[in-house]
Amino acid sequence: MSDHTALRNRDTLAGAIFTCLGIATVAIGAGYPLGSTARMGPGLFPVCLGIALTMVGIAIAARSFRGSEQIEGIRLRPLVSVLGAVVVFAASLQSLGIFIASTLLVVISSFGSESFRLGPALVLGIALATMATVVFVWGLGMAVPVWPMR
Amino acid sequence: MQLLDNILMGFAVAAEPQNLLYAFLGTVLGTLIGVLPGLGPAATIAILLPATYYLSPVTALLMLAGIYYGSQYGGSTTAILLKLPGESASIVTCIDGHEMARQGRAGAALSVAALGSFFAGCVSTFVIVLLGPLLTVVALKFGNAEYFALMVLGLVMAVALARGSVLKALAMAILGLILGTVGLEANSSVTRYTFGFVSLFDGLDFVIVAMAMFGFTEVINNLESPNASRVQSAKVGRLMLTFAEFKASWLPVVRGTVLGSVLGVLPGGGALLSSFASYSLEKRLARDPSRFGKGAIEGVAGPESANNAGTQTSFIPLLTLGIPGNAVIALMFGAMMIHGITPGPRIMTEQPQLFWGLIASMWIGNLFLVVLNLPLIGIWVRLLMAPYNLLFPAILLFASIGLFSLANNPDYIIAAAVFGLVGYVLHKLGCEPAPLLLGLILSPMIESNMGRALALARGDVTVFVTRPLSLAFLVAAAGLLILVILPSIRTKREVAFAE
């Protein structure tokens, strides 16, 4: 197995990540007072868990050498569209108001779908934005501006 | 006749107009998301949690519960008509249910699923009534060690039932436990793993993680691999069961109900385990097992009843012991905490309207669901045609608004986006989110029980194995873990999931 394949190997990567997380947990956790078994300190539980995670991580990575599946198709478009849309919404909610923020979220996230067309997405966006404004701001009294603040 | 008094009080609570309305709303919503693939009860409940702030605790719980058991009814519809499990427990129904549809017997399959589920719903409600008070008495005798051991068992069961590699599920559970330690530790005032972020002092809000991993990540996954197969939709046809069909299915329904009721109570139990177990049981008991996979009605009757019974009885550990057995119940647990109710054995005495109201509402809910699912099946079928493209932006919008409303702070949305990314990466690596969520929610309780048990035993670690009940739970947990890791069982498990 070439190094290149090993990196794309699901289990190796998973095992490596878990092992690192486990070690990090122990490293940071050991900095907190451990206490004794009679009086558990804040560090004891996380350190035990970290050790356990490290062991499981190593086990996963070890088993991966007996062959495992490759990572399947990472497609950036849905990932970026969905998360990007949500982040844009968060950033613009209080400055641009819920109507524009919602429309942006809908249009940007719609881009994540193969059958994206700007026209229908905009219509959907405006429809959902209207619904959101009516239900959440006028109906439930959410403390958020509807239109951009000047 | 205290029991009768309690039941009557429960019905009085459940029949209050607001409770009736929201329970109905919950069941409709549950059926809807059960029918729509790509949106499950966990995601829906997570997304609606902020919305329930405006409701009274009882009303909120009735609605959320309605979503959960309602989704089991709805999930069978897509499974039978489109061979698409609308909900993970409906996977088994896809096998024989869709074959029946192909043979023009979709109506019969739908009927048997709905009626079997109703029977199971009624019986399991009854089981809760009987078992609930009994278990509460037992639970009051539980000490910290027992609680600790039981929660460990629950976590292990969730790991054993997770799809894919057991080791990865185990890692997820442990990671969840670790994430649960983030924040201010009560006894020592030490802030753990906060890296100076003040917003982390209160810990990681499980709602954020749940919405991110069950909501955002799910949407991304669905967009990556769209379900092209809408073509296979079958005609519904005649709904009434023939006498022969009824004769063939009534015993599986009863067996499924019993199996589901038992398995649902177990830590980690619920719809999924029950439906799988029922299918295996029916296949083994059938006079002609080769019929399974070709449209055997027993393959629908049994599992559909079992998953409904399992769903409802999985509330029992929550209401009596105060321990969530699976991810969805964990969300209910969280919902109760949000509303200021601490789940535990005292719920029955301190919040009787909640306990008995929920039970009565479940029964009423099942009634709603039979009506919704049989005569109104046409509406749901038409809804299946709704393109996902309209749905998912709405889901994202609703979730984001919900996240904002948790603290009027858009940072929560960003946090969820981060966890959405994490969830995506983990999914690509073949890891299931459910054990992580369960670990996250159980972590504080596991740690505090462990601490107190050890403190009472003055540091003697063997306390967990010298107390009989605690020992029993831990042995079961260890045994189960070893069992699923063993190669022979592992292949059987993979085959079962692959089916």
Side-chain angles (χ1 to χ4, degrees):
Chain A
M1 221 183 290
S2 79
D3 258 1
H4 178 67
T5 338
L7 267 173
R8 283 187 59 87
N9 189 314
R10 285 212 309 199
D11 285 4
T12 321
L13 201 53
I17 291 180
F18 286 130
T19 310
C20 290
L21 285 173
I23 295 178
T25 308
V26 176
I28 303 177
Y32 308 126
L34 290 180
S36 62
T37 50
R39 291 208 67 200
M40 266 175 55
L44 192 60
F45 193 55
V47 164
C48 293
L49 291 175
I51 296 177
L53 187 59
T54 313
M55 295 200 303
V56 176
I58 294 178
I60 295 175
R63 264 191 53 216
S64 75
F65 291 122
R66 257 195 281 144
S68 93
E69 303 109 49
Q70 304 294 79
I71 301 181
E72 297 167 24
I74 301 183
R75 287 178 41 218
L76 283 182
R77 182 166 156 171
L79 180 65
V80 174
S81 309
V82 169
L83 295 182
V86 167
V87 169
V88 164
F89 180 80
S92 61
L93 183 61
Q94 290 173 315
S95 51
L96 293 181
I98 190 173
F99 194 83
I100 298 183
S102 304
T103 316
L104 282 174
L105 180 147
V106 173
V107 173
I108 298 178
S109 63
S110 295
F111 187 65
S113 156
E114 285 298 310
S115 50
F116 170 76
R117 273 165 36 230
L118 186 56
L122 259 168
V123 171
L124 181 65
I126 295 182
L128 286 176
T130 315
M131 217 182 64
T133 312
V134 169
V135 172
F136 289 104
V137 181
W138 295 337
L140 292 174
M142 200 164 94
V144 106
V146 178
W147 299 112
M149 312 274 265
R150 262 162 228 302
Chain B
M1 262 258 76
Q2 242 238 316
L3 190 62
L4 201 56
D5 282 339
N6 285 326
I7 297 179
L8 286 175
M9 170 186 51
F11 273 103
V13 172
E16 280 171 31
Q18 207 198 20
N19 291 340
L20 217 53
L21 174 67
Y22 278 96
F24 180 69
L25 201 62
T27 52
V28 170
L29 213 56
T31 311
L32 186 63
I33 56 138
V35 164
L36 292 168
L39 191 56
T44 316
I45 292 176
I47 293 175
L48 285 175
L49 270 174
T52 62
Y53 286 4
Y54 300 106
L55 304 170
S56 85
V58 178
T59 315
L61 237 79
L62 296 188
M63 182 176 87
L64 296 177
I67 295 177
Y68 186 28
Y69 56 83
S71 68
Q72 301 306 319
Y73 275 82
S76 23
T77 310
T78 18
I80 293 170
L81 292 178
L82 297 180
K83 204 170 190 179
L84 270 177
E87 218 279 307
S88 55
S90 318
I91 292 177
V92 181
T93 314
C94 286
I95 308 176
D96 279 275
H98 190 69
E99 276 307 307
M100 284 181 70
R102 294 259 215 93
Q103 295 162 18
R105 296 154 66 210
L110 291 166
S111 292
V112 103
L115 292 172
S117 298
F118 179 64
F119 177 80
C122 294
V123 170
S124 57
T125 310
F126 200 57
V127 169
I128 301 178
V129 168
L130 289 179
L131 217 52
L134 249 120
L135 272 180
T136 307
V137 170
V138 170
L140 283 170
K141 302 213 171 84
F142 273 18
N144 295 305
E146 282 76 26
Y147 270 108
F148 170 80
L150 190 57
M151 285 190 261
V152 168
L153 178 60
L155 212 48
V156 166
M157 279 216 70
V159 165
L161 289 172
R163 286 211 251 152
S165 148
V166 173
L167 282 177
K168 284 193 241 184
L170 186 59
M172 290 295 272
I174 300 176
L175 187 57
L177 287 171
I178 295 176
L179 288 175
T181 62
V182 170
L184 185 66
E185 206 270 317
N187 296 328
S188 60
S189 305
V190 167
T191 53
R192 300 188 282 194
Y193 302 104
T194 54
F195 306 114
F197 287 111
V198 183
S199 42
L200 285 180
F201 276 22
D202 270 331
L204 285 169
D205 200 324
F206 80 96
V207 180
I208 298 180
V209 177
M211 272 217 230
M213 292 196 160
F214 289 108
F216 292 169
T217 311
E218 267 300 302
V219 169
I220 300 174
N221 291 333
N222 284 324
L223 284 175
E224 273 196 353
S225 43
N227 298 312
S229 55
R230 291 200 179 265
V231 199
Q232 296 239 333
S233 98
K235 292 234 127 204
V236 173
R238 179 186 40 83
L239 277 183
M240 281 291 291
L241 294 172
T242 64
F243 186 67
E245 287 166 339
F246 182 80
K247 215 168 87 147
S249 35
W250 80 273
L251 213 46
V253 165
V254 172
R255 283 194 288 256
T257 306
V258 172
L259 195 58
S261 300
V262 170
L263 291 177
V265 188
L266 294 180
L272 189 57
L273 177 63
S274 310
S275 62
F276 272 67
S278 172
Y279 191 77
S280 312
L281 181 68
E282 291 307 317
K283 195 163 177 184
R284 206 159 304 174
L285 288 179
R287 225 163 296 163
D288 180 15
S290 66
R291 282 185 303 119
F292 278 71
K294 305 206 195 99
I297 200 169
E298 296 90 335
V300 176
E304 279 300 317
S305 313
N307 75 19
N308 223 57
T311 307
Q312 293 192 190
T313 50
S314 65
F315 276 88
I316 294 183
L318 177 67
L319 296 172
T320 56
L321 301 167
I323 299 178
N326 59 52
V328 179
I329 300 286
L331 289 171
M332 305 272 180
F333 176 90
M336 287 169 92
M337 298 280 278
I338 289 178
H339 284 275
I341 301 176
T342 319
R346 290 179 220 289
I347 287 251
M348 231 185 78
T349 41
E350 286 172 11
Q351 299 268 352
Q353 334 88 278
L354 178 68
F355 186 86
W356 298 102
L358 183 59
I359 294 176
S361 178
M362 273 195 213
W363 190 84
I364 298 180
N366 273 286
L367 208 57
F368 286 152
L369 284 163
V370 169
V371 170
L372 279 173
N373 276 277
L374 281 182
L376 299 185
I377 198 94
I379 303 183
W380 305 117
V381 175
R382 218 153 299 150
L383 257 139
L384 283 177
M385 306 303 166
Y388 193 61
N389 297 335
L390 290 181
L391 192 60
F392 81 85
I395 297 174
L396 291 175
L397 181 60
F398 204 71
S400 304
I401 293 179
L403 283 163
F404 171 79
S405 70
L406 284 175
N408 267 4
N409 188 347
D411 288 351
Y412 277 45
I413 306 179
I414 312 249
V418 171
F419 273 102
L421 180 62
V422 170
Y424 176 78
V425 169
L426 289 170
H427 176 85
K428 280 294 165 204
L429 295 176
C431 303
E432 278 266 312
L436 187 141
L437 188 69
L438 201 57
L440 177 66
I441 290 187
L442 286 177
S443 180
M445 291 195 299
I446 290 186
E447 183 175 13
S448 71
N449 275 299
M450 183 167 136
R452 266 184 253 143
L454 283 173
L456 285 172
R458 288 173 230 273
D460 181 13
V461 187
T462 64
V463 66
F464 298 111
V465 290
T466 44
R467 294 174 67 115
L469 211 50
S470 168
L471 175 65
F473 292 145
L474 288 177
V475 164
L480 188 60
L481 208 52
I482 296 176
L483 211 62
V484 285
I485 292 187
L486 277 183
S488 53
I489 312 282
R490 191 171 349 127
T491 33
K492 273 200 213 135
R493 194 171 153 274
E494 281 161 7
V495 166
F497 279 118
E499 257 175 23

